[in-house]
Amino acid sequence: MNVSSSRSVLPTAAAVVTVLLWASAFVAIRAAGDAYSPGALALGRMLAGSVALGALCLLRREGWPPRAAWRGILISGVLWFGFYMVVLNWGERQVDAGTAALVVNVGPLLIALLGARLLGDPMPPRLLAGMAVSFAGAVVVGLSMSSGCGGSSVLGVVLCLLAAVAYAGGVISQKPALGSASALQVTTFGCLVGAVCCLPFAGQLVTEASRAPLTATLDMVYLGVFPTALAFTTWAYALARTTASRMGATTYAVPALVVLLSWLVLDEVPGPFTLVGGVLCLAGVAVSRSRARARVVRVGAAAGPEGEPVAAPVAGPVAEPVAGPVTEPVAGPVAGPVVERRPEEV
């Protein structure tokens, strides 16, 4: 594999790891939520993630992030690692899973709008079309999983909407920080900031941990080590190499994977509409991450009436026609080098 191929494959692989682990987090949250309250679960998750990330930073001798990155780290730490974790856990207790999935998936749309407004992210038609398809799939998944109006509350919907806004704000704040600090540094110190924000729930965590079953505590540790420490690092790695809008669209694969994992782990057989919604989510992600077909353009060639390149003049003297049998023309050397221009990756 050459260098250019590896630069393209590694961010994609990092994004796949992220969405897989974030999808598994929904299953683990449901398993641990019976024993831990929203704030205590968020604090325990952040503490476990901070320990894992801190050990990795020491092994790699990462050191402190540069001063230029701290503004983004602090904002993303407060919004995403702190506030988001608490209100999402709280909101999912107030509404059914379908309503929560539907409202929280407003987040990628907010990321696209904020990214275009604040970061100057381009909004190509493929990205917009893919996000539209994925959001339609999220709506289908949410409606098919919803237990009706009786399972929802105004407070729960508001909390899930706040979680979506915090998620979008955290991503937009994190993107500039990755320009001057490594993905591991941004994730580690963002997680530490989130843990500090969740410290008011320390008393609840101690009390609930003393009487919680071991499986629930292990689920909480899993949330900190894998969906937080590992998945947020791979997310930051991929985010540093693409736009916030495109990474936000990638997370629309999470609802489809949640449906699959719930089927495999929790024996929750999805209905036909849920499966259709999951397929739409994945199809939209595929469209949003696809690239326009590359075109080869010869330097020095003139453009035709439809924008197609016209053959460049042949270098060297022009030969006089010679009488004799007609032969097929042979292309001469083209003036100037031949280069391949590809559309800018978004």
Side-chain angles (χ1 to χ4, degrees):
M1 182 182 296
N2 56 37
V3 176
S4 60
S5 298
S6 63
R7 288 178 178 175
S8 175
V9 170
L10 289 178
T12 301
V16 170
V17 170
T18 298
V19 296
L20 285 173
L21 290 177
W22 282 357
S24 72
F26 283 87
V27 179
I29 288 173
R30 291 183 59 184
D34 294 334
Y36 289 97
S37 59
L41 181 59
L43 176 58
R45 178 178 179 176
M46 290 300 100
L47 290 177
S50 297
V51 170
L53 288 166
L56 187 57
C57 273
L58 291 176
L59 290 175
R60 293 179 57 87
R61 298 181 179 179
E62 286 283 337
W64 289 81
R67 181 179 298 179
W70 272 105
R71 181 173 181 269
I73 290 174
L74 289 172
I75 296 176
S76 63
V78 171
L79 290 179
W80 199 5
F81 289 88
F83 184 77
Y84 169 84
M85 298 292 179
V86 176
V87 296
L88 180 62
N89 293 342
W90 187 9
E92 288 188 352
R93 289 193 169 197
Q94 304 294 320
V95 299
D96 55 77
T99 303
L102 177 60
V103 177
V104 172
N105 274 294
V106 174
L109 298 177
L110 296 176
I111 291 173
L113 294 174
L114 292 174
R117 179 69 178 85
L118 301 178
L119 302 179
D121 287 352
M123 298 287 287
R126 287 172 181 264
L127 177 62
L128 295 174
M131 294 187 72
V133 173
S134 290
F135 185 72
V139 171
V140 174
V141 171
L143 294 177
S144 64
M145 295 173 61
S146 178
S147 60
C149 298
S152 302
S153 70
V154 175
L155 175 61
V157 172
V158 171
L159 289 171
C160 290
L161 184 59
L162 288 175
V165 173
Y167 162 46
V171 172
I172 298 300
S173 302
Q174 191 184 62
K175 175 64 176 177
L178 292 167
S180 54
S182 69
L184 183 57
Q185 287 175 323
V186 171
T187 306
T188 300
F189 287 91
C191 190
L192 286 170
V193 171
V196 171
C197 293
C198 295
L199 282 179
F201 304 103
Q204 292 181 9
L205 177 61
V206 173
T207 301
E208 293 170 5
S210 63
R211 59 181 183 229
L214 179 61
T215 54
T217 302
L218 291 177
D219 285 327
M220 181 175 64
V221 173
Y222 170 83
L223 287 169
V225 175
F226 292 98
T228 301
L230 178 55
F232 273 81
T233 302
T234 53
W235 163 275
Y237 175 85
L239 180 62
R241 289 156 178 82
T242 185
T243 64
S245 303
R246 196 175 184 194
M247 281 301 294
T250 304
T251 61
Y252 272 122
V254 172
L257 295 174
V258 170
V259 171
L260 179 61
L261 290 174
S262 297
W263 189 0
L264 296 176
V265 178
L266 303 177
D267 292 328
E268 296 180 351
V269 180
F273 286 105
T274 305
L275 291 176
V276 170
V279 171
L280 286 175
C281 288
L282 295 177
V285 172
V287 171
S288 66
R289 293 192 65 86
S290 63
R291 302 176 185 175
R293 182 177 298 176
R295 293 175 57 192
V296 177
V297 180
R298 297 181 183 275
V299 174
E306 299 298 328
E308 294 296 328
V310 178
V314 177
V318 179
E320 293 293 330
V322 180
V326 179
T327 59
E328 293 295 328
V330 180
V334 178
V338 179
V339 298
E340 183 174 339
R341 290 181 179 172
R342 300 180 181 274
E344 182 179 356
E345 181 182 353
V346 294

